[in-house]
Structure formats: structure tokens, C-alpha cells
Amino acid sequence: MPPTLSSFIPALVLFAPALLWGVGFTPASFANARPRLMAQMNIGAAWLVFAGALVAAVAHLFDTPHAWTLFSLALPGDIGAFSIGTYVNSVTVIMLLLVSFVGAIVSRYARNYLDGDPNQGHFHKWLTLTLASILTLIVSGNLLMFSLAWIATSLCLHQLLMFYRERPAAVLSAHKKFIASRIGDASLLLAIFLIGSTLHTLEFSEIFERMAAMDGALPAALQAASLLIVVSAALKSAQFPFHGWLIQVMEAPTPVSALLHAGIVNAGAFLVIRMSPIMSHSGTAMAALAIIGLVTLTLASLVMLTQTSIKVSLAWSTTAQMGFMLLECGLGLYSLAMLHLVAHSLYKAHAFLASGSGVDAFRAPVIRYESKGFQFGQLLLALIIASAMAVGVGAAFGVTWQQQPALIAAGTIVAIAVSQLMLQTATLLGNAAALLRAVGLSAVVSIAYFILHALFDHALHGSVLPLRDAASAFQAVLVPLTIAAFVGLLLMQQFIKAAHSNLRDTLYLHLYNGLYIDVYITRLLQRVWPAPLQPAHSQGA
């Protein structure tokens, strides 16, 4: 029987992490003795992996989702089996392409960034192992294999975060990340046990089939598992109140920040999307996810406006964007969350790798316009025009409030963002032509939003299970609450940018310090488990 297309895709998909694992297991003594060779091996492997991912993606266009198993071992207690294999669907292919591309770019950047550093070889070794762990996580076809890759990603990243072990701030932030990750790992492992004991399988493909055929209420064990998945995803994505470690890991080299913010921190949203067959059946878990995301993005968006450090501001931006992604997942907008994940990863990788140019941009001469200050009338007009544009374009695409209220709410959020641009244009330039151009831009953005959503919705069809009850009581409350929160954010941002006053300056000071939330979390963690200061000489181990 001649080989089919389906027989090639698993090999291509499994090729990605296998090649990087092979390079990453290079002995530390060899890596440190030949740092430039190690860097070249890392870069070469990363680009080969991207090429393989690209071929697999093209091949998947002519194929259907399928699972493939290389090795399987039955587990006691009738909870299923541990297997080494792949589960290839649209989610797998999109994430594989994204992470392999970002990984190749970061690896190439790191070669020059760390050139001459005495521990350059050590860095490239752990960078390769971290990329291998992420890709293994993405292609895993078994929940237990997924969890092992989840843990490995965190442990390998820990070595990169501790690259400058002589810096107390780096040690403290890595220590906080380590504790948060272990709590998330425990939550995920317990969720896997509950899923296995209820469905008697740990294979993603079989979980998808059984949950798609499930009628009636979700069993209590799966309800608890869905809540544990929310905890694990929130901790991985640096959500409130355990967001402080993401802000403080700026002590790590810039390539680590780029990889962390562009790939690893997105694993929380990827977990929820991958587990959509179970998550979509639990209104409670989805509501909890949405509330956590909404609170986090509200806080982080305001704090970001007050930061003066480029990298710290980008870190707060990532926290807010992760909150936005989990909010989208909580509203059942998986395709929009995937679109957001891809766009944010590419943008944030570029932003971190180009952060050094921010200083040059700040010093460059700019044309400054005299601002007329905050004018409520202009804000209201911009909101009305942008919202009408979003609703009108949505109706043209067949999206209505009765059928898809969450999607309309997301479109309204886009409109609110566009209204910011319209307001700025009208305030600074103050002429009708500029306002007309802004209105045209809002139309372009709204159309692009709904087109991209339709494309990703089509791509993910059959790879995620839609929300079981899109008209639930939770959804009826969450949708208007989300819109109200973004309108409130718009008003607060205008207030923060307004002229100095006692109230504004006091609020600015508290927001600059992140409302002191992380201070209390840090004190608690140091009291329970003090961070050890590592000697600098242990770095090359």
C-alpha cells in the first residue's frame, strides 16, 4: 500500500521537537568550550524545524485532524494510557508554525546579543531545550505527555531566567516564577487524573470525540477538572494576583524576554483552547476564566500607562494581553483568542528584540502639537461612530447580537480602541479631513477584524468544540460587563493623561507601583519559602 499524506505529517510534526532535543542534549562542557558552534547548531536546527513546520502546515491543508502513536503504556486505575505520539489539527499546525518561526528569530538574535559572554554556550543549550519543550507541548497527542512537556518548559525556562545568578533581582523573580509554576503543575496533574478517571482515556482525539457526543450535565469530576485547568492557565499566563514575576523577569537577557512573552506565556491560552472539549461544557469554569482575564487586563492596562521603562511597560502590556486572551476564551471566542495569540506573539517578539531602538526613537526630534485636553463631547462622538461602524460591519458579515453577543462585544472592544485613534486625531489636528480619514480607518479596521475572525473560525472548525450554552446566564452578564469595563478603561486612560491634579497624581503614583499587590505577594512567598541566592560560579553547570 503506497504511503499517504497522513503518514508523512506525524513524522514532520515529531521531527520538530526531536531535532531540538538532540541539539539541546549537547554536554554543557562541549557547549561552553565551543559557544559559537553551539550557537550555529541552535540556529541551524531552529530554521530546519521551521521549514519542517511549514511543510507540515501545507500538507495539513489537504488532510483532516488525526492522531498518531509511537509508544503506549497502560496506566493503573483505568485512567487511560501514557503514550508518545502526536495530535495534529489546525491548532497544532498554527502553533507549530508560530513558535518555530519566533524560536528561529530569537535564536539568531541571541547569537549576536550574547557574543563574547563567557556562558554563551550554556545559554544556547538551554534555549534549545526550552524550544524543544514548547514544541513537544504543542504536538503532544496525550494529556500526560502534554503535562510532562508543560513542566519541562518551565524547568528549562528557569535556567534561562537564572542566567545572571549574581543578580538578586533575577533570582527573586525566577524564584517567584518557579513557585507559581509548581502550583500550576499540580493543578494540571490533578485535572488530568480527574479527566482520566472519568473518561478512561488521556488521548486528545478520544477526549474530543467523547465530549462531542456527551449529553446532559457535566460530571462533577470534570467540573472540578475544568476549574483546575483555569487555575493552571491563569498561573502560566501571569494573571492577577500572581502577575508580578512576569514584570520582574526583565533581569533576564532580552532574547529570553522575547521568547517568554511571545511564546511561553501564551501556553495558558493554548491549554484552554486545547481543552475546549471539556471547558466548553462548564459555564462556571468559563465564567471564572473570563473574570480573571477581565480583572487582570483592566489593572495591567492602567498600570502600563504609568511605566517609564520600555521593557517593564512591555511586560505589563503582555499581562494585559494575556488577560484579554483568557477573557476571549471565557466568552467562548476560541478562534478570536487564537488570532489574538498569533498577532500578539509576532508583535511582542519584535517589540522586545527592538526595545533597544526605543531609546533612539525617544531622543529623535518630533513634531509636537498643542493638545486641547480632554473633551467629553469628542470622546462620545468617537465612540458612537466607531461602535456604529463595528455593529454595521458585523451585520454585513451576518453577526448579530442575538446569535453571537460575545463576538459583537469583541467587535465593540475593537471599536473602542479605534475611537482612541479617532479622538487623538481630532484633538491634535482639529480638522474635518483628518476626522474623515480616521472614520475611514475605523471602517478598515472593523472589516479586517471580521475577515480575520472568519478565516480563523474556518481554520479551527473541527479542532475546537464551541461553547455549549452561548446564551447562559453567565454569558448574559459577562458580555455587557466586558463592554462596560472597556468603556471605563477608555475614560480612565483619558483621566490619567489629563492635566495634573491631586487626585490624578495620587492615582498615578499608586498605579505606577502596581497598586502594591505584588509587594504583598512577594512578602508572603519570602516568608513561606525564602529565595536562595545562587553563587555566580554555578551558572555553567
Side-chain angles (χ1 to χ4, degrees):
M1 181 176 179
T4 63
L5 192 61
S6 298
S7 62
F8 287 112
I9 295 179
L12 286 171
V13 168
L14 205 58
F15 165 79
L19 178 61
L20 289 171
W21 281 117
V23 175
F25 280 130
T26 300
S29 56
F30 179 90
N32 278 328
R34 300 168 180 84
R36 294 191 177 181
L37 176 60
M38 187 66 198
Q40 291 295 342
M41 290 169 58
N42 182 13
I43 296 169
W47 281 113
L48 279 175
V49 165
F50 174 66
L54 193 59
V55 174
V58 173
H60 180 69
L61 293 175
F62 307 96
D63 202 8
T64 56
H66 65 275
W68 177 78
T69 302
L70 177 66
F71 168 81
S72 182
L73 177 66
L75 298 173
D78 194 25
I79 64 172
F82 165 70
S83 66
I84 298 176
T86 62
Y87 178 49
V88 182
N89 61 10
S90 297
V91 175
T92 307
V93 170
I94 291 171
M95 289 296 296
L96 189 64
L97 266 176
L98 174 67
V99 174
S100 60
F101 176 69
V102 171
I105 296 296
V106 169
S107 298
R108 176 65 180 83
Y109 180 93
R111 185 187 69 178
N112 292 341
Y113 184 90
L114 288 161
D115 189 28
D117 191 287
N119 289 296
Q120 180 184 358
H122 167 88
F123 179 89
H124 284 286
K125 171 185 170 66
W126 286 106
L127 178 62
T128 307
L129 289 175
T130 304
L131 281 171
S133 302
I134 304 171
L135 295 177
T136 303
L137 173 79
I138 292 169
V139 306
S140 296
N142 179 271
L143 257 176
L144 193 54
M145 178 182 172
F146 180 98
S147 68
L148 294 178
W150 178 277
I151 296 170
T153 300
S154 173
L155 295 178
C156 293
L157 176 64
H158 184 75
Q159 296 297 321
L160 294 176
L161 296 178
M162 293 284 289
F163 186 70
Y164 296 123
R165 295 173 183 261
E166 69 278 5
R167 300 181 181 179
V171 174
L172 176 61
S173 61
H175 178 69
K176 290 169 67 176
K177 168 69 172 64
F178 185 88
I179 295 175
S181 296
R182 301 294 74 78
I183 298 173
D185 296 344
S187 299
L188 180 59
L189 289 172
L190 183 54
I192 290 172
F193 173 78
L194 292 173
I195 293 170
S197 61
T198 304
L199 300 179
H200 309 294
T201 182
L202 297 178
E203 301 298 319
F204 282 118
S205 58
E206 295 177 5
I207 291 172
F208 192 101
E209 294 172 359
R210 296 181 189 184
M211 294 305 299
M214 177 176 286
D215 292 322
L218 194 68
L222 293 185
Q223 286 278 11
S226 63
L227 289 171
L228 288 168
I229 289 172
V230 169
V231 172
S232 188
L235 288 169
K236 195 73 165 182
S237 296
Q239 297 297 280
F240 176 88
F242 300 102
H243 58 280
W245 64 264
L246 186 63
I247 313 302
Q248 296 167 356
V249 294
M250 296 300 103
E251 289 287 337
T254 295
V256 179
S257 299
L259 183 63
L260 171 62
H261 288 257
I264 298 174
V265 78
N266 294 318
F270 175 69
L271 170 64
V272 175
I273 294 172
R274 185 64 104 188
M275 298 304 298
S276 65
I278 292 175
M279 299 298 295
S280 292
H281 282 73
S282 176
T284 304
M286 296 294 270
L289 190 67
I291 291 172
I292 290 172
L294 186 59
V295 170
T296 302
L297 79 89
T298 302
L299 170 67
S301 297
L302 292 174
V303 174
M304 179 186 68
L305 295 175
T306 65
Q307 301 305 305
T308 55
S309 168
I310 295 173
K311 291 181 69 175
V312 172
S313 180
L314 287 172
W316 278 107
S317 170
T318 297
T319 302
Q321 296 294 335
M322 292 303 104
F324 200 172
M325 268 182 229
L326 295 188
L327 170 63
E328 291 163 341
C329 290
L331 292 173
L333 302 173
Y334 297 120
S335 54
L336 188 59
M338 180 59 73
L339 168 61
H340 191 172
L341 192 156
V342 171
H344 174 264
S345 295
L346 295 175
Y347 156 73
K348 198 51 65 77
H350 174 268
F352 267 100
L353 297 182
S355 59
S357 302
V359 177
D360 297 330
F362 180 79
R363 291 173 176 172
V366 296
I367 301 175
R368 302 191 180 276
Y369 300 94
E370 183 181 353
S371 176
K372 298 179 181 178
F374 174 68
Q375 298 182 17
F376 183 78
Q378 287 188 344
L379 174 62
L380 184 60
L381 177 61
L383 276 174
I384 292 173
I385 294 174
S387 299
M389 191 72 68
V391 173
V393 173
F397 279 83
V399 178
T400 63
W401 182 270
Q402 292 76 17
Q403 296 176 342
Q404 297 173 288
L407 187 56
I408 289 290
T412 305
I413 293 169
V414 174
I416 292 172
V418 172
S419 69
Q420 282 274 56
L421 176 61
M422 295 173 61
L423 181 66
Q424 184 183 33
T425 303
T427 300
L428 293 180
L429 302 182
N431 61 70
L435 182 58
L436 186 61
R437 286 196 298 270
V439 172
L441 181 60
S442 71
V444 171
V445 171
S446 298
I447 292 171
Y449 161 73
F450 282 104
I451 289 176
L452 287 171
H453 173 266
L455 290 174
F456 271 76
D457 197 45
H458 176 74
L460 266 60
H461 181 71
S463 297
V464 296
L465 276 184
L467 197 63
R468 185 177 185 183
D469 186 6
S472 66
F474 283 127
Q475 291 288 312
V477 173
L478 283 173
V479 169
L481 181 63
T482 299
I483 296 175
F486 274 86
V487 172
L489 268 176
L490 178 60
L491 294 173
M492 285 294 295
Q493 287 173 353
Q494 295 300 321
F495 178 72
I496 291 174
K497 294 176 182 178
H500 291 278
S501 67
N502 290 336
L503 178 60
R504 182 263 183 196
D505 292 346
T506 301
L507 178 62
Y508 192 97
L509 175 63
H510 294 321
L511 287 174
Y512 179 81
N513 289 284
L515 300 179
Y516 312 101
I517 297 165
D518 185 59
V519 174
Y520 297 109
I521 296 295
T522 302
R523 289 176 180 173
L524 177 62
L525 290 179
Q526 287 182 316
R527 197 173 295 139
V528 175
W529 189 5
L533 292 180
Q534 302 293 332
H537 62 76
S538 65
Q539 185 165 317

